[in-house]
Amino acid sequence: MATRRLTRETAFALVAILLLAFNLRPVATSVGPVLELITADLQMDDALAGVLTSLPSLSFAVFGAFAPALSERIGVHRTIGLALAALIVGQVARAWVPNSWSFLLLSVLALGGMALANVLIPTLVRLHFPRRIGLATSLYSLSLTLGTAVAGAVTYPLAQQLGGWRAAFTAITLVAIAALLCWLPMLRYAPRKGSAGSRKGQYSLRDVARTGRGWAMVVMFAIQSGQAYTVFGWLPSIYIDAGLDPTAAGLMLGITTGVGVVPAFLIPMHAARVGEPVGLFLSIMAFLVAGYVGLLLAPTVVPWLWAIFLALGISSFPLILALLGMRAKTTSGTAVLSGFTQSVGYLLATTSPLLVGVLRGATGSFAFPIGLQLILIIPMTIVGVRCCRTWFIEDELAPTSSTSD
């Protein structure tokens, strides 16, 4: 991997990683389009439906925290293999269970596999593409975004064509099975001393929790994810409340998700090229402010423009993915930084859309929830600038032994 030339081996690894990334959201985003069908079929009440919609973020928080330790024990490639197997078994099995509790338990299995793999992808990028972190992150970020969009777009039509949500879930799993088959040859990679998968010289999430930079990444990630949850969950309601009809409001969300594909590919490459993407980050924050201000002051004047600004404003996600690979010197450092950032960050992020609902219910207006999102941009900007400066998590940690790759 010392050469910059893309060999057959690295090309296959890239294909395997891209297929993996494509499958890291459908298990979560396939539920929304057919949620009413699921709740009716399984006689699921509103409380259980609320639990179901909160499971993805909770799974990221809980299972993501175990990813670094598990990869140290059995190796990052074997951990990914187990994650894909859990995702497939959980997704297929939950499609054919007769009751809501079985569906929820198997959803936890599928989402747990998704969470494990999600945390470890930056480690794979550093391991297989140490000289191409920006390009590899751009490609897998694009694949992840496309997987999210495709699952959201095709699940309901598949349910109509195939006779129900159960058949649709099964059909969607075929892509994950292809990813697992493609991943099997990757299992030949044995754990190396000083890399994720070795029992010696490893850092832990507790080590990262003692660092200021680690918490800065958590705050940046948590606010970003909270903003994204808020936009994806509440944007149509905000537009409808402002006077747009439901069809137009849904189109605005479609614009937001569609526009997000472009920065998902371009941002990580730019970040890796410049090293300190402070200017890029501040530009992203400016778009986010403009989008929220537009929603607050004139939501129906040029609604498509605010949707575009918001899409660009929440595109700090691919930037954070790039930083997870850029701000560590070793695969062990990458694994624990990613695990700590995402597990704690996702847990904190779940409060953002909840607060939007509470404030909306208490005030009868979306003005206060939007104002809250604007206020949260301030601490995100402060810690984000710090995270975009050059630093390495290993410099703040106290290793027990060598961690060099």
Side-chain angles (χ1 to χ4, degrees):
M1 236 72 74
T3 177
R4 297 182 68 89
R5 187 177 168 219
L6 188 65
T7 64
R8 180 179 298 180
E9 181 181 5
T10 54
F12 183 85
L14 179 62
V15 172
I17 291 172
L18 294 184
L19 268 175
L20 170 67
F22 188 87
N23 286 278
L24 292 188
R25 292 299 183 273
V27 68
T29 57
S30 60
V31 170
V34 292
L35 181 59
E36 291 187 3
L37 301 179
I38 293 171
T39 55
D41 192 9
L42 298 178
Q43 298 181 343
M44 187 180 295
D45 59 28
D46 290 341
L48 286 182
V51 171
L52 176 61
T53 56
S54 66
L55 279 181
S57 57
L58 291 175
S59 296
F60 275 123
V62 175
F63 290 97
F66 291 101
L70 186 58
S71 68
E72 289 170 19
R73 182 174 296 274
I74 67 173
V76 62
H77 298 90
R78 296 185 182 97
T79 303
I80 294 292
L82 287 176
L84 274 172
L87 187 156
I88 292 168
V89 171
Q91 176 77 337
V92 172
R94 74 175 181 169
W96 300 103
V97 294
N99 58 71
S100 57
W101 284 106
S102 297
F103 183 88
L104 289 174
L105 289 174
L106 289 165
S107 294
V108 170
L109 176 63
L111 292 166
M114 178 188 71
L116 287 174
N118 189 76
V119 167
L120 293 175
I121 276 199
T123 304
L124 291 171
V125 168
R126 171 159 288 282
L127 187 61
H128 290 280
F129 307 99
R131 296 178 180 270
R132 294 188 178 94
I133 290 177
L135 176 60
T137 302
S138 289
L139 290 172
Y140 95 70
S141 175
L142 175 63
S143 183
L144 189 152
T145 303
L146 289 174
T148 304
V150 169
V154 307
T155 300
Y156 188 77
L158 279 176
Q160 290 182 311
Q161 293 295 321
L162 300 178
W165 65 271
R166 298 178 184 274
F169 272 25
T170 305
I172 290 172
T173 313
L174 294 176
V175 185
I177 293 174
L180 178 59
L181 293 175
C182 191
W183 194 261
L184 293 179
M186 300 288 287
L187 299 180
R188 71 183 186 273
Y189 290 102
R192 300 186 306 167
K193 182 179 180 180
S195 66
S198 172
R199 297 293 302 276
K200 294 183 179 181
Q202 296 301 311
Y203 303 114
S204 68
L205 299 188
R206 186 176 300 177
D207 295 327
V208 183
R210 297 190 182 104
T211 69
R213 301 283 188 180
W215 280 106
M217 286 292 293
V218 164
V219 173
M220 182 184 183
F221 187 89
I223 297 177
Q224 189 285 327
S225 296
Q227 301 274 3
Y229 286 159
T230 297
V231 169
F232 293 142
W234 287 101
L235 187 61
S237 298
I238 292 173
Y239 276 121
I240 292 171
D241 188 71
L244 262 63
D245 64 80
T247 300
L251 177 61
M252 295 306 106
L253 181 59
I255 290 174
T256 299
T257 55
V259 171
V261 171
V262 177
F265 178 71
L266 297 178
I267 285 176
M269 286 193 298
H270 176 77
R273 185 170 64 250
V274 302
E276 293 190 348
V278 176
L280 172 64
F281 174 68
L282 292 177
S283 298
I284 292 172
M285 292 298 95
F287 278 118
L288 190 58
V289 171
Y292 280 132
V293 170
L295 281 183
L296 193 61
L297 300 181
T300 60
V301 176
V302 278
W304 55 268
L305 182 61
W306 314 137
I308 291 174
F309 282 172
L310 288 172
L312 298 175
I314 60 176
S315 63
S316 51
F317 178 69
L319 175 59
I320 295 174
L321 293 181
L323 290 175
L324 291 175
M326 294 167 57
R327 295 302 177 247
K329 300 176 182 177
T330 63
T331 53
S332 174
T334 304
V336 293
L337 179 61
S338 177
F340 182 70
T341 298
Q342 296 196 54
S343 60
V344 180
Y346 274 120
L347 184 62
L348 295 175
T350 58
T351 62
S352 182
L354 178 62
L355 284 174
V356 170
V358 170
L359 287 173
R360 170 70 170 84
T363 65
S365 169
F366 279 108
F368 284 95
I370 294 174
L372 172 64
Q373 302 307 316
L374 282 168
I375 292 172
L376 288 173
I377 292 174
I378 297 173
M380 182 179 177
T381 302
I382 294 172
V383 299
V385 169
R386 185 182 183 192
C387 292
C388 287
R389 301 294 185 190
T390 300
W391 58 277
F392 298 100
I393 192 63
E394 290 87 349
D395 295 337
E396 297 197 21
L397 301 175
T400 57
S401 61
S402 174
T403 58
S404 64
D405 285 337

